Amino acid sequence: MAIEILSTGKYVPANRVTNDDLSKTMDTNDEWIRSHTGIGARHLANDEEATSDLAYKAAMDAIERFAPGKAAQTIQTIDLVVVGTSSPDYYGFPSVACIVQDKLGLTQAGAFDVVAACSGFVYALDAAGGMLTGNRKRALVIGADVLSRITDWTDRSTCVLFGDGAGAVLLERTDAPASGEGKRGIISSILGSQGSGAQELICLRGGTRHPFKAGETIDKPIHLYMNGRAVYTFAVKAFTDTIEALLEKEGLTLDQVKKIIPHQANMRIIQAAAKRLSIPEDKFFMNIEEYANTSNATIPLALDDYNRTGELKRGDVIMTVGFGGGLTFAGNLIVW
Ligand code: ACO
């Protein structure tokens, strides 16, 4: 039994905001943002769009790509909806996954969200794959965020980094082998956490620890706080350790891996990881220039963009690798 990705899909909002656009309203510039991060633009949700809207559109894209013109039939074969997100439509509940399930018109599916910040999609893939047992055969796994709603737009050191988007995959338990000759699908995953670093990347206000109180004057909406330097250091180590651990677990070398699909947080993190691993930077598939950091969405967005290049062939070994608030880190080794 293998857990295979059947198709990929994505959605980004139409509103494309370049670095030059940002420099008109804040003290920043294209040269600083590009040289420090590799970001050239981001897509931002409009006032009517919430995370579930993006998630639903990415899901429909994956469903349409799987069986063009047969979305209605495909939808009814989905047993599980799992969404990785850090910016749900509503505080606590309902989950984004339930809203997507309803929008799809699914009546017989379980649905829940995974909260692991930017590692969320990798966690969600592993969780969904592990749950495809018995009568549950097919899952929709989505990474979606509208981080622009929880970004402090007066803080130039964080707001230039983020964008909004969603990516999705259809996952299925198939009869292909999961080990040995001709193995396919999600072969192995690593999930890690380091809660001692919780304060380095955090939404401080609005939860049960520091709730907003009636009558309180609020000068800023809920927003994320990030210690950029600390996160950078954690990220480079998390990337390299996760990649090396996945290789060791499966007895592979990096030569045997066609592409690594990393969380797109900063081009410089990738450059540092590539240097540590002594591999060329183009071993990593990058699209940060166009979308910036879309948190849970970066990995499925990148996987979809890479899939659309046509380079990804059956039997290719690829990896996902992510890190994020929590702190968390995670990776999947996949044979396409
Ligand atoms: N435009 C122009 N100048 C800026 C900007 C900006 N947007 N932002 C900061 N600067 C200035 C600073 O004020 C500072 O100026 P000073 O030296 O006069 O004080 C200078 O640039 C350097 O600032 P640093 O913060 O030291 O810049 P650094 O090189 O460390 O890069 C960055 C900052 C890009 C945030 C880096 O630390 C980083 O990428 N960290 C990791 C972030 C990350 O991966 N986040 C992922 C989060 S995942 C999740 O779960 C959401």
Side-chain angles (χ1 to χ4, degrees):
M1 299 293 187
I3 303 295
E4 294 193 77
I5 292 175
L6 303 178
S7 70
T8 62
K10 71 158 186 255
Y11 174 76
V12 290
N15 181 24
R16 182 174 186 270
V17 178
T18 65
N19 295 340
D20 285 333
D21 293 332
L22 288 184
S23 70
K24 289 175 192 144
T25 56
M26 69 180 72
D27 183 15
T28 190
N29 55 76
D30 182 61
E31 197 281 322
W32 190 96
I33 300 173
R34 272 183 197 277
S35 62
H36 284 72
T37 69
I39 295 166
R42 70 285 294 142
H43 293 246
L44 301 182
N46 65 39
D47 289 347
E48 283 73 47
E49 281 179 313
T51 300
S52 68
D53 299 313
L54 277 56
Y56 168 73
K57 287 180 179 164
M60 285 304 292
D61 191 33
I63 289 165
E64 270 296 338
R65 282 198 86 200
F66 172 65
K70 294 188 178 147
Q73 294 97 308
T74 304
I75 285 169
Q76 291 314 325
T77 65
I78 296 169
D79 304 301
L80 191 64
V81 181
V82 187
V83 179
T85 186
S86 305
S87 49
D89 294 24
Y90 301 103
Y91 171 79
F93 47 84
S95 65
V96 172
C98 275
I99 300 168
V100 172
Q101 164 263 312
D102 183 51
K103 278 183 198 237
L104 288 170
L106 262 174
T107 48
Q108 303 284 336
F112 66 98
D113 288 356
V114 168
V115 181
C118 304
S119 312
F121 179 78
V122 180
Y123 268 74
L125 261 190
D126 193 49
M131 292 172 76
L132 292 181
T133 56
N135 289 337
R136 278 189 303 267
K137 200 159 184 279
R138 200 172 267 182
L140 182 61
V141 184
I142 306 169
D145 269 305
V146 178
L147 276 199
S148 61
R149 295 272 150 72
I150 57 165
T151 295
D152 179 356
W153 286 98
T154 66
D155 174 12
R156 69 175 182 172
S157 68
T158 55
C159 72
V160 302
L161 306 175
F162 299 110
D164 304 330
V169 301
L170 261 184
L171 203 63
E172 184 172 86
R173 191 184 82 230
T174 69
D175 293 331
S179 59
E181 192 66 21
K183 67 183 172 190
R184 291 212 301 265
I186 301 171
I187 303 299
S188 189
S189 296
I190 284 182
L191 309 179
S193 59
Q194 192 182 301
S196 57
Q199 302 296 320
E200 312 297 10
L201 197 45
I202 192 165
C203 287
L204 267 178
R205 295 298 314 273
T208 53
R209 178 70 60 194
H210 301 293
F212 288 122
K213 296 189 180 111
E216 178 184 1
T217 305
I218 294 164
D219 59 346
K220 283 183 179 175
I222 292 177
H223 65 271
L224 63 86
Y225 160 83
M226 182 177 74
N227 178 349
R229 283 280 163 89
V231 174
Y232 183 98
T233 308
F234 170 78
V236 175
K237 185 166 165 26
F239 266 175
T240 48
D241 287 357
T242 304
I243 291 167
E244 282 172 343
L246 275 172
L247 291 172
E248 197 184 322
K249 216 171 151 191
E250 294 307 315
L252 293 170
T253 63
L254 269 171
D255 293 345
Q256 293 167 287
V257 177
K258 185 160 181 182
K259 272 293 178 214
I260 302 170
I261 315 291
H263 172 45
Q264 318 268 320
N266 186 330
M267 193 64 205
R268 291 202 312 191
I269 292 174
I270 300 303
Q271 286 162 344
K275 202 170 163 197
R276 271 205 198 187
L277 293 162
S278 305
I279 52 171
E281 282 167 33
D282 66 6
K283 190 78 156 179
F284 293 90
F285 182 84
M286 296 301 292
N287 60 7
I288 192 173
E289 185 179 11
E290 179 58 26
Y291 305 124
N293 179 351
T294 55
S295 192
N296 283 266
T298 68
I299 290 174
L301 269 178
L303 182 62
D304 184 66
D305 276 1
Y306 181 52
N307 194 12
R308 279 172 210 253
T309 64
E311 280 177 42
L312 197 47
K313 302 275 188 275
R314 169 145 288 189
D316 284 345
V317 179
I318 60 167
M319 264 188 198
T320 66
V321 58
F323 71 90
L327 298 166
T328 58
F329 56 95
N332 316 111
L333 191 121
I334 301 168
V335 178
W336 201 252

